[in-house]
Amino acid sequence: MRTLSIILWSMLKTSYATWLEVDLQAIRHNIEKIQSLTNVSVMAVVKANAYGHGLINVARTVRKMGLEWLGVARIDEALLLRDKGINGKILVLGHTDPIDVPLAVRHHISLAVHSQSLVLPYQEMASHYDEKLMVHAKIDTGMSRLGEEYTQAVQFIRSLFDCEGLQVEGVFTHMARADELSLDTTDNQIEKFDKILEDLGPEREKIQWIHAANSAAAVFHPNTRFNMVRPGISIYGLNPSEEAPLPAGFEPALSWKSVITSVKTVPPHRGISYGHRYITSNYEKIGTISVGYGDGYRRVPGNEVLVNGRKVPVLGNVCMDQCVISLNGLPDVKTGDEVVLLGKQGDQEISAETLAKKWNTIVYEPICGLTGRIPRVYLNE
Ligand SMILES: Cc1ncc(COP(=O)(O)O)c(C=O)c1O
């Protein structure tokens, strides 16, 4: 089966200007690692197109593994999952306008209620249905983003228990600095969260799911695990931060590839690409690839790609759909040869972490920024 899909893929791939290869076996393997590390339920976070890896295929893979929960940021993402036949539990972690409550009820999508001010509007919208709206109370213990203030949390959760149209399925919070291992911010947040759960007394038993941990918290702060963790970046095999690298054995799932579309030699003093930010010093061999900032490849100096197992620089400005690369010292390179922007070629690798560093950002941004026009090819389905 695997051989067949590789043969089919190698027949197809030459038609793509650029493409992403997503290794679904790596995702399965990373989820199993998180499961065995934490020993609690795992909600796979698949928001932002599964961190660029492709919402539907990743969600299907997760479901096939038997995971019950998927986490998304917006109701549109949840509806797309339902539209593609993905069943099981879905939690919208971000804000949902009360006007969309009927959609949530009809499609069995659980919502985060993040403020007392939403309780009545949600209840009012849900009251027109026989079925209840499933909610998870979101508490702000120190992220200072969405969430009812921790000082008001007990009365907030109790008010949700009293709402007829709503069923409280879960209570959760979110860690602001779990990837900075030297700090005590996470412990302080968890102390506040624990106190809320304690103050609920026997009513705590009514809450099925208690969750707080993103990847860094799940891996490095056992006291954040409760009975479910919400990993995102780690299931894609990437480190939450330099300070919080994943334990050995996690595998990046994503590679980004292209092919050389032209090869030529240009004379000295030739300006390359828009703005002529690179000028040749000698006769130089250059090539083009069909990758640009329209795909999410950042227009900054210092980019490198892999050709024939060697790192070569991108020359001059990245354009919307193309860029120019140096092919000096690569006499055998020809059009159609594979170029790797992210991933391995021979014994060389450009990791998402390396790309993020060059782009002066966190590893999440380059992958979430991969635009929709790049075809995703799934390996090991
Ligand atoms: C509420 C919430 N939970 C979980 C996650 C997953 O975080 P990570 O990708 O760091 O594991 C995120 C991601 O930003 C989030 O916003």
Side-chain angles (χ1 to χ4, degrees):
M1 186 63 189
R2 189 170 168 195
T3 320
L4 185 65
S5 65
I6 291 169
I7 293 168
L8 279 173
W9 164 227
S10 58
M11 285 161 69
L12 284 172
K13 75 172 183 183
T14 46
S15 64
Y16 291 143
T18 182
W19 68 96
L20 299 170
E21 288 177 13
V22 181
D23 183 351
L24 295 172
Q25 177 51 31
I27 291 181
R28 283 191 288 269
H29 168 83
N30 296 331
I31 289 174
E32 279 164 8
K33 295 272 304 173
I34 291 279
Q35 283 173 321
S36 67
L37 259 167
T38 62
N39 259 320
V40 296
S41 293
V42 173
M43 173 188 290
V45 176
V46 294
K47 62 194 172 114
N49 201 20
Y51 291 45
H53 294 63
L55 175 66
I56 304 303
N57 289 64
V58 172
R60 275 202 192 112
T61 303
V62 168
R63 275 284 182 267
K64 271 195 210 153
M65 290 182 74
L67 264 67
E68 189 181 7
W69 280 98
L70 294 168
V72 295
R74 301 183 185 155
I75 192 155
D76 317 40
E77 295 173 313
L79 291 169
L80 194 60
L81 287 168
R82 289 293 188 241
D83 189 52
K84 298 290 179 194
I86 309 286
N87 51 22
K89 303 294 259 176
I90 303 174
L91 173 62
V92 179
L93 296 158
H95 173 75
T96 304
D97 192 291
I99 206 148
D100 289 328
V101 162
L103 285 170
V105 176
R106 249 186 283 144
H107 294 279
H108 306 107
I109 294 165
S110 305
L111 300 184
V113 198
H114 61 82
S115 160
Q116 186 74 56
S117 65
L118 285 170
V119 178
L120 278 179
Y122 276 17
Q123 186 182 17
E124 162 57 23
M125 295 301 283
S127 65
H128 305 288
Y129 295 85
D130 294 337
E131 282 182 68
K132 291 189 175 191
L133 172 68
M134 299 295 183
V135 294
H136 291 226
K138 187 167 196 172
I139 312 301
D140 184 2
T141 55
M143 175 74 181
S144 313
R145 197 173 62 175
L146 290 183
E148 185 56 61
E149 273 295 299
Y150 70 95
T151 47
Q152 309 300 312
V154 173
Q155 118 197 19
F156 170 57
I157 296 165
R158 286 200 173 122
S159 75
L160 288 168
F161 285 145
D162 292 340
C163 277
E164 270 202 3
L166 310 187
Q167 168 79 45
V168 181
E169 254 185 335
V171 170
F172 75 112
T173 189
H174 190 48
M175 299 297 116
R177 309 186 76 174
D179 59 339
E180 297 171 88
L181 301 185
S182 57
L183 302 179
D184 57 8
T185 320
T186 303
D187 285 339
N188 292 340
Q189 283 192 252
I190 288 303
E191 214 173 283
K192 293 185 175 103
F193 197 54
D194 274 335
K195 175 84 169 60
I196 294 161
L197 298 170
E198 194 187 310
D199 289 352
L200 281 172
E203 282 177 294
R204 178 183 171 154
E205 298 308 311
K206 295 186 192 170
I207 306 163
Q208 192 183 356
W209 297 106
I210 297 175
H211 46 108
N214 58 5
S215 295
V219 172
F220 297 104
H221 305 270
N223 58 346
T224 64
R225 290 175 190 158
F226 298 95
N227 65 353
M228 182 153 70
V229 293
R230 302 188 308 265
I233 200 77
S234 56
I235 68 178
Y236 307 105
L238 302 174
N239 297 320
S241 70
E242 250 182 281
E243 205 182 316
L246 294 170
F250 281 84
E251 292 168 14
L254 190 73
S255 304
W256 187 2
K257 297 186 176 174
S258 185
V259 288
I260 294 179
T261 50
S262 86
V263 176
K264 57 188 169 187
T265 300
V266 290
H269 314 300
R270 178 68 78 86
I272 307 270
S273 187
Y274 288 125
H276 284 182
R277 289 293 182 272
Y278 181 83
I279 312 275
T280 55
S281 326
N282 294 300
Y283 279 91
E284 293 191 28
K285 187 173 178 183
I286 61 170
T288 51
I289 54 173
S290 296
V291 179
Y293 57 79
D295 303 295
Y297 202 60
R298 195 74 68 76
R299 186 181 178 277
V300 291
N303 284 318
E304 288 179 318
V305 297
L306 302 177
V307 183
N308 274 14
R310 263 186 50 186
K311 265 186 196 150
V312 304
V314 172
L315 303 177
N317 277 330
V318 171
C319 309
M320 188 184 296
D321 318 297
Q322 298 185 68
C323 48
V324 182
I325 59 176
S326 171
L327 298 177
N328 284 331
L330 292 168
D332 299 331
V333 169
K334 54 189 186 316
T335 59
D337 282 359
E338 190 171 279
V339 175
V340 171
L341 296 105
L342 182 63
K344 290 182 181 157
Q345 194 183 56
D347 56 8
Q348 291 288 319
E349 179 173 11
I350 296 174
S351 67
E353 286 87 354
T354 305
L355 209 57
K357 227 175 185 180
K358 277 204 190 308
W359 294 358
N360 198 19
T361 186
I362 54 172
V363 72
Y364 299 68
E365 207 183 329
I367 54 167
C368 291
L370 294 164
T371 61
R373 79 170 174 179
I374 315 179
R376 271 78 171 161
V377 174
Y378 293 93
L379 308 180
N380 300 321
E381 285 185 89

